[in-house]
Amino acid sequence: MTLRAGSLDRRTLLRGAIATAAMGSFAVACGSPSSDGDGDGGGPKGEKSAKNPFGVAENSKVDAAIFDGGYGTDYVEYTNTVVGGQVKGLKVQVKPVVDIAPELQPRFVGGNPPDLIDNSGEDQIGFLGILDQLEELDDVLEANNYEGKKIADTLYAGVKDPGTFNDKFVALNYVMTVYGVWYSKTLFEENGWTAPKTWDEALDLGQEAKKKGKYLFVHGKEAATYYMTLLIDSAIKEGGDEVRIALEKLEKDSWSQPSIQGVLKVMETMVRQKMFVPGGSGTQFQKAQAIWSNDQKALLYPSGGWIENEMKDATKKDFQMTGIPEMTLTDKPKMPYEALRAAAGEPFIVPKQGKNPAGGKEVLRAMLSKDAAANFSKTKLAPTIVKGTVPADGYGSSALVAQSKMLEAAGDNIFNYLFVSAYGMNTDMLVPWNSFLAGDLDAKGLTSALQKISDKVREDDSIKKLEVN
């Protein structure tokens, strides 16, 4: 999970949301007492039924404060087209908010928070600071969706994890971010190339690229740690979950684990054999990405699923951007090749003291309907946590099709980690990674630099540590 210093784009905000959720670093001292947990918030009540599992009152309103970031707010407003079929007259009133904490903290203190909040962005409210004032959302996942299926059975694996704090599931993260390696299907077909599954295959592909006057990879100075993400993901797949746990716990010599060193050795060979476009450490990241997406001087690029939308104005026509899971070190890794790093983001919460918390939950149920989830993917070109809502043509987005296929193939083999963003390590890590990719630092030096950064955080008692399991 890599952050770029000084960047507040959509994915950075999403990642920041997950990190802040883990650390509670933006926690607020809310003065109002928590409710007794009955979840009625003093508002109107309706009778519970199969169509109305939370007992929402007819003709009631839901006050929704939605972060106005890269996704906008219209996808929540869209629920008005479907929610009325379940609860007569229920209306969602959406208020776009950019600075979540400054605007909504006073409402928590005053005991009149909104019924539903997309607690995202740079100024989100720390979850740990308001934990006792939030509804637990297990009943949302236990309810049936608008199509009559249990919601929990329609979602991707692990979606509760980023929204669970002290064993309380209080934040429903709605959007899936898929990490992988991206390439042009058109370019590969024209040259008869096959996307690599192992690092040895990638090394062979790099030799083929050189014959065509091209490079295997490219990097930009602000995004050099995208290759750290690739390294970690590949190493976890190769060595198993114990690799992730050691890194997350900031253990001594965690960067010297065999699978990490195995992948790093291949990367070092690629750098030495000049398979990276030169000058990346002095190139702005989007310009570097355009060398791949528009100029096609590089074959592969590691990134999250946001890459298509980010580079839509700098991608060659008929590029057909396609993604694959990160390569494994061998053909017999502990996790299957299809294993994937993917994380749910854009956290929605329901305050207990809202006037209509039951309505807030109903809006979440509406958002998890196939209709609403498909609308989000169609308009935002990103998958939600709801499976099976992206058509075969991906609404014309080859990258969206690839993300859906990767998630489906991964099944339960989905993992994530938080330590880099949670401890704010990325800025420090950019320095050695830029040096390594430029050929000025070897694998041993990079390992030492990364370990020192982890050690510094581990040994600082003033830093609250992540609970890792």
Side-chain angles (χ1 to χ4, degrees):
M1 189 169 288
T2 54
L3 289 171
R4 290 205 298 273
S7 174
L8 291 179
D9 56 13
R10 172 176 60 79
R11 68 192 172 290
T12 298
L13 293 173
L14 183 153
R15 292 166 176 173
I18 297 174
T20 305
M23 298 299 292
S25 58
F26 287 95
V28 293
C30 297
S32 63
S34 62
S35 78
D36 59 8
D38 60 11
D40 61 22
K45 298 179 182 179
E47 292 187 11
K48 294 185 178 182
S49 66
K51 291 186 68 175
N52 188 4
F54 311 121
V56 184
E58 292 185 355
N59 301 311
S60 62
K61 296 179 181 178
V62 176
D63 176 13
I66 307 302
F67 174 63
D68 192 9
Y71 294 129
T73 62
D74 57 292
Y75 68 99
V76 180
E77 293 170 355
Y78 182 85
T79 58
N80 277 310
T81 66
V82 295
V83 74
Q86 301 292 309
V87 182
K88 182 179 178 181
L90 181 63
K91 295 293 182 182
V92 186
Q93 294 183 330
V94 174
K95 180 181 180 181
V97 180
V98 175
D99 303 317
I100 295 292
E103 187 161 341
L104 299 184
Q105 260 182 235
R107 294 189 61 178
F108 273 94
V109 174
N112 64 330
D115 306 312
L116 180 67
I117 301 171
D118 174 16
N119 187 30
S120 191
E122 181 189 26
D123 291 315
Q124 73 167 176
I125 304 172
F127 289 87
L128 296 180
I130 55 173
L131 187 60
D132 291 339
Q133 299 187 51
L134 301 179
E135 287 280 334
E136 294 187 42
L137 303 177
D138 302 88
D139 55 346
V140 174
L141 302 195
E142 291 300 311
N144 284 346
N145 64 11
Y146 287 7
E147 293 75 40
K149 295 183 178 180
K150 182 179 176 180
I151 289 175
D153 295 337
T154 68
L155 309 181
Y156 289 112
V159 297
K160 290 180 65 174
D161 295 344
T164 300
F165 311 99
N166 295 343
D167 296 324
K168 293 182 178 181
F169 173 49
V170 296
L172 180 76
N173 287 268
Y174 188 61
V175 187
M176 288 296 287
T177 297
V178 177
Y179 297 83
V181 178
W182 303 86
Y183 67 97
S184 165
K185 181 180 179 182
T186 305
L187 181 64
F188 272 55
E189 288 179 346
E190 288 175 353
N191 290 275
W193 294 327
T194 300
K197 289 187 175 181
T198 67
W199 278 94
D200 283 344
E201 290 177 2
L203 196 58
D204 291 340
L205 180 61
Q207 297 293 350
E208 293 299 316
K210 292 173 72 172
K211 293 177 183 178
K212 296 286 186 176
K214 297 180 182 294
Y215 299 86
L216 185 63
F217 287 120
V218 64
H219 82 282
K221 59 183 178 180
E222 301 94 341
T225 44
Y226 281 19
Y227 289 89
M228 180 172 69
T229 299
L230 176 58
L231 166 67
I232 295 172
D233 295 357
S234 293
I236 290 173
K237 290 168 64 170
E238 185 66 35
D241 202 44
E242 57 264 37
V243 176
R244 175 192 65 83
I245 291 174
L247 289 170
E248 293 250 77
K249 287 186 175 181
L250 310 174
E251 292 181 359
K252 294 181 179 180
D253 299 323
S254 58
W255 289 99
S256 296
Q257 296 177 86
S259 61
I260 290 179
Q261 289 300 304
V263 175
L264 199 53
K265 182 179 179 179
V266 182
M267 281 188 172
E268 184 179 46
T269 299
M270 291 174 170
V271 172
R272 189 169 59 247
Q273 294 186 4
K274 301 187 184 306
M275 293 185 180
F276 281 77
V277 175
S281 296
T283 305
Q284 193 269 345
F285 79 98
Q286 287 181 326
K287 291 182 178 179
Q289 289 171 179
I291 292 173
W292 162 73
S293 64
N294 192 64
D295 303 342
Q296 295 192 312
K297 290 183 179 180
L299 272 56
L300 303 175
Y301 192 70
S303 178
W306 61 79
I307 187 66
E308 182 186 42
N309 186 61
E310 181 173 75
M311 300 307 295
K312 63 183 178 182
D313 295 328
T315 298
K316 187 176 180 179
K317 185 178 181 181
D318 197 31
F319 188 84
Q320 293 190 51
M321 194 179 293
T322 304
I324 57 170
E326 293 97 338
M327 294 80 72
T328 58
L329 188 59
T330 67
D331 58 3
K332 293 182 180 179
K334 287 191 177 181
M335 297 180 74
Y337 162 74
E338 292 80 11
L340 197 67
R341 183 186 178 203
E346 216 66 30
F348 283 78
I349 57 177
V350 177
K352 291 178 180 178
Q353 292 294 323
K355 293 182 179 179
N356 193 1
K361 290 185 176 183
E362 185 61 35
V363 174
L364 290 180
R365 192 166 78 105
M367 290 171 60
L368 295 170
S369 68
K370 282 202 168 186
D371 188 342
N375 171 73
F376 181 92
S377 294
K378 181 178 181 179
T379 56
K380 311 302 177 186
L381 296 182
T384 69
I385 59 174
V386 183
K387 296 185 291 187
T389 55
V390 177
D393 66 354
Y395 305 109
S397 166
S398 57
L400 182 55
V401 170
Q403 292 177 72
S404 297
K405 287 183 177 179
M406 284 192 283
L407 285 167
E408 182 178 352
D412 291 336
N413 293 301
I414 292 176
F415 61 91
N416 189 37
Y417 46 89
L418 298 169
F419 75 105
V420 176
S421 57
Y423 297 122
M425 303 163 114
N426 189 72
T427 300
D428 290 338
M429 288 173 163
L430 276 169
V431 177
W433 270 100
N434 270 297
S435 294
F436 173 74
L437 296 177
D440 298 329
L441 186 69
D442 61 12
K444 183 179 179 180
L446 176 61
T447 300
S448 176
L450 296 175
Q451 190 62 56
K452 286 180 180 178
I453 294 170
S454 289
D455 291 346
K456 182 179 179 181
V457 175
R458 184 188 66 250
E459 295 167 5
D460 189 340
D461 293 336
S462 69
I463 299 175
K464 183 178 180 180
K465 303 303 189 292
L466 289 170
E467 293 183 7
V468 179
N469 50 45

